[in-house]
Amino acid sequence: MRRSEANTHFPALPPSPVLTQPETPMKKTLLSFMLAAAPAAYAFDGLTYDGGPIETGAGMQPPHWILVCDNTGTCRAAGYQHNNTEHQTFLPVSLLLTRQAGADAKVKAQVRLLPAAGQEQKIGGITLQLTDWSQKNAKPVDYGPVQTDDEGIATLSDSQTAALLAHLRTPEPSIKFIADDGSDNAPYWTPYSNREHLAILAKMDEYQGRSGTLSALLNPGTSDKAVPPPAPAPEISAAAVKGDNSGDTITPENKKHAALLKLLQPYGQEKNCAFSSSTPDKRGQNITLYPLNDKQTLAETICQYGEEKGFYLFAILSADLKKVEKIVGGPISTGYNGYGEILGARQLDDKGCGINDLYLWNGTDFVLARKNSNGLCGKGFPSGAWNSLPNYTSNIREADEKAAH
């Protein structure tokens, strides 16, 4: 019943060996050389980058590309169509380039397409077509068929991916995915590639420590610096919580309520939390208590109610409910499921596209286990084109279901 996935620094290199014999000058020189040659531990701190608004002849435009990199060093760059999705040329499309850290890591290229209004929902086969308009007498070149699945997602072959990456480095690249429907006016999809993607690819190279090396996507060089390998995802041991998941709701009429609210309010102010006196579902300023173990209790109270959903203040309290040990969760936490998971979601449009995170109980604290988005919003894809573009991921060891004490 758990999920998986989770900007931290990673363990430093093991300590240098201890010399048990008197050091000779040669030993000192050798040790100094070994220490100087050893690479420093590389920390991938997570990155989300879209380059900001783009200035065009028609004014400022929202970005068409986004880069999301996680704490293991894996990066995912997603490009979309021009913002005018009502025109045939600009049907909803997203091109996703995924690459793990490490000098030998390959790029995986995928595309997701949505059909035009009135089209069959299943797109089927498509053809990748590339044109470099910077060339005199430029002509489109077809790079073979690609098959989409039931969700309109296709994975490019290694040769198609290599051609696409080389094409993205040309001065005026044009990318089309053309439906193989046998007609002269087949629908096609065009990811926007008016140089905006160059900043994204350069940032990916920078994040992965490969700028100027042979493995760089943009401007490969001859630098012999070591490209950092993938970093291990943190291990999180999820712990069972005490009792059931229903919690004990303390209403404003309960004699415990005033003291609890007084305890929590200063922390709500620190989190820029305007406590609501009433909510659409008539809960008022209820406070719900969930036992975590014999020494700690989680308090949940609504912080603010927005148009879509409320977000909450979560605090770990001492079992006697007299001390706040820690405020937990993200800046916008939207719920606790009663099983040791605090969820956060920030919708950026009215179709469910946005950012979400997950905090897990490890027996003493709630720790970040996952933070991800589903790409740029407002591009025609309900809930975003991609299910998960993680900024932070972890390996989760499931809790045994014994009660906590």
Side-chain angles (χ1 to χ4, degrees), residues 63-362:
H64 304 89
W65 283 77
I66 187 171
L67 173 67
V68 183
C69 300
D70 68 28
N71 52 313
T72 72
T74 296
C75 287
R76 296 166 176 86
Y80 299 77
Q81 78 282 357
H82 195 278
N83 292 304
N84 182 3
T85 57
E86 297 177 359
H87 192 282
Q88 162 69 45
T89 308
F90 306 129
L91 292 175
V93 56
S94 182
L95 176 64
L96 179 66
L97 305 176
T98 302
R99 193 180 199 184
Q100 294 182 335
D104 298 326
K106 292 183 177 181
V107 177
K108 179 180 181 180
Q110 295 171 285
V111 63
R112 186 174 184 194
L113 314 171
L114 283 186
Q119 268 189 287
E120 290 279 343
Q121 288 302 302
K122 189 170 182 178
I123 294 167
I126 55 176
T127 294
L128 170 63
Q129 186 181 91
L130 306 177
T131 310
D132 178 6
W133 291 112
S134 67
Q135 298 296 315
K136 188 177 180 180
N137 301 319
K139 294 182 179 180
V141 179
D142 291 350
Y143 284 86
V146 194
Q147 189 67 32
T148 62
D149 63 16
D150 290 344
E151 295 184 343
I153 297 174
T155 300
L156 276 60
S157 68
D158 288 349
S159 61
Q160 289 171 328
T161 300
L164 174 67
L165 293 175
H167 185 68
L168 285 171
R169 292 193 287 266
T170 63
E172 295 182 52
S174 171
I175 305 166
K176 283 186 180 181
F177 295 94
I178 305 172
D180 297 335
D181 67 357
S183 72
D184 292 334
N185 295 308
Y188 59 88
W189 295 260
T190 305
Y192 193 68
S193 53
N194 190 15
R195 305 190 67 80
E196 186 183 338
H197 62 284
L198 298 178
I200 295 293
L201 298 183
K203 184 65 75 172
M204 182 190 288
D205 284 342
E206 177 189 323
Y207 182 84
Q208 295 185 324
R210 62 175 87 248
S211 299
T213 70
L214 285 171
S215 69
L217 290 177
L218 200 65
N219 302 322
T222 57
S223 171
D224 59 358
K225 70 178 181 181
V227 175
E235 300 283 339
I236 297 178
S237 295
V241 294
K242 182 178 180 179
D244 60 32
N245 66 332
S246 58
D248 180 17
T249 300
I250 309 299
T251 65
E253 294 75 30
N254 190 303
K255 59 184 180 181
K256 295 181 183 178
H257 187 273
L260 280 170
L261 189 60
K262 184 178 179 180
L263 187 67
L264 293 172
Q265 277 180 325
Y267 298 93
Q269 292 168 7
E270 288 177 14
K271 300 277 277 189
N272 196 26
C273 210
F275 286 98
S276 300
S277 59
S278 62
T279 59
D281 56 7
K282 310 300 183 188
R283 281 175 297 170
Q285 192 59 58
N286 292 347
I287 300 170
T288 304
L289 302 175
Y290 299 91
L292 297 170
N293 51 37
D294 288 341
K295 297 179 180 180
Q296 295 167 299
T297 293
L298 180 69
E300 169 197 79
T301 186
I302 195 155
C303 192
Q304 187 169 319
Y305 209 98
E307 292 181 7
E308 293 297 322
K309 60 176 68 176
F311 66 92
Y312 295 78
L313 179 73
F314 291 97
I316 300 175
L317 308 181
S318 56
D320 62 7
L321 309 181
K322 292 183 179 180
K323 179 184 177 183
V324 175
E325 295 185 359
K326 186 178 181 181
I327 301 299
V328 296
I332 298 182
S333 295
T334 54
Y336 174 68
N337 68 355
Y339 297 100
E341 301 176 11
I342 292 177
L343 312 173
R346 182 161 49 125
Q347 290 189 195
L348 301 180
D349 68 12
D350 59 0
K351 296 181 172 58
C353 180
I355 300 168
N356 65 75
D357 50 34
L358 170 69
Y359 290 79
L360 288 183
W361 175 248
N362 66 3

